[in-house]
Amino acid sequence: MARIRQTAIIGTAALAVLAAGIAPASAATTTVRKGSATADAYSGNVQASLLGTATVSTSIGSGSCSESTMTGSINSDGSNLSVSSATFSGDGGGPCTGSTSATIETQNLPWSGGSVAYDAGHTGGRDATVTIANFSVKATVDIFGGITCQFGGNLTANGFNGDNASRPDTSSSEAQVGVQNAQVSKTGGSFLCPSTATVTANYALKGETAAGSGTYDQSLYVTG
């Protein structure tokens, strides 16, 4: 069960990361830039890569995934965040591990309607607020012959620039999205699935230097 929760949460965390690396959809003063506070605005494709592990806990257990990558796109003003692909797995591409193993699959892609808003007050040390909308994940847990649980909804996370001392992973100088003890709700599946799961995960965000190249080598930075 924990594994299933973990999967759903990781998907959510990844989305949050993508959103955070961009800029707020509703704040006209938010701008996503090419790597620094004074660089040109950035609009286009974005990739979020898991830093460390993503952990998920529920009333019946906990688990973690060590590999996760998500890709999508965003406007330079933080609007129209859309996630077109996402993967979640354990070491070597295997199942996520914990109390039991779990296979995670994304549902209803693309996930659109997300946004990021620059936080001028830097609440809790963050640079932006990330809103992830319409994410949906299905996890099949290897117990009792295989139990399937679905989780989804909207989630709010924190965004950090690569030079922010408060960023989750100081070993990485890329923009980051941090999801700390965020909850996602069950949307379908077995009656054995918990109603909620709590997730903690961090992602690094990058864009493309050459638009449409599929090579994510452009650092990102959010300003007001």
Side-chain angles (χ1 to χ4, degrees):
M1 288 313 197
R3 186 64 53 183
I4 295 178
R5 298 296 180 180
Q6 169 187 341
T7 300
I9 293 177
I10 292 177
T12 302
L15 287 178
V17 176
L18 284 177
I22 319 315
S26 59
T29 57
T30 297
T31 303
V32 178
R33 300 183 182 277
K34 297 179 178 180
S36 74
T38 58
D40 292 340
Y42 179 85
S43 180
N45 295 328
V46 180
Q47 181 183 74
S49 301
L50 182 66
L51 293 169
T53 59
T55 61
V56 177
S57 61
T58 69
S59 58
I60 60 176
S62 62
S64 64
C65 293
S66 58
E67 299 180 6
S68 178
T69 301
M70 305 188 83
T71 58
S73 61
I74 189 75
N75 289 340
S76 61
D77 65 354
S79 64
N80 295 327
L81 170 66
S82 178
V83 177
S84 57
S85 68
T87 60
F88 312 98
S89 65
D91 293 339
C96 294
T97 59
S99 301
T100 184
S101 63
T103 299
I104 300 173
E105 300 175 76
T106 56
Q107 303 286 294
N108 305 321
L109 289 170
W111 296 322
S112 59
S115 64
V116 176
Y118 179 70
D119 182 354
H122 299 285
T123 307
R126 70 190 180 194
D127 294 303
T129 306
V130 179
T131 299
I132 303 157
N134 302 309
F135 69 86
S136 180
V137 179
K138 179 177 73 174
T140 301
V141 181
D142 188 19
I143 56 176
F144 303 123
I147 294 176
T148 297
C149 300
Q150 295 178 4
F151 297 91
N154 298 336
L155 178 121
T156 299
N158 298 318
F160 302 84
N161 287 320
D163 60 357
N164 187 331
S166 298
R167 65 190 185 280
D169 188 340
T170 55
S171 67
S172 171
S173 59
E174 301 300 334
Q176 297 176 25
V177 173
V179 180
Q180 296 295 319
N181 299 319
Q183 286 197 333
V184 290
S185 299
K186 173 184 174 181
T187 58
S190 171
F191 72 93
L192 295 173
C193 301
S195 60
T196 63
T198 301
V199 63
T200 296
N202 301 310
Y203 285 78
L205 302 174
K206 285 187 177 183
E208 299 173 313
T209 298
S213 67
T215 298
Y216 294 90
D217 53 1
Q218 175 64 64
S219 295
L220 299 174
Y221 202 97
V222 180
T223 66

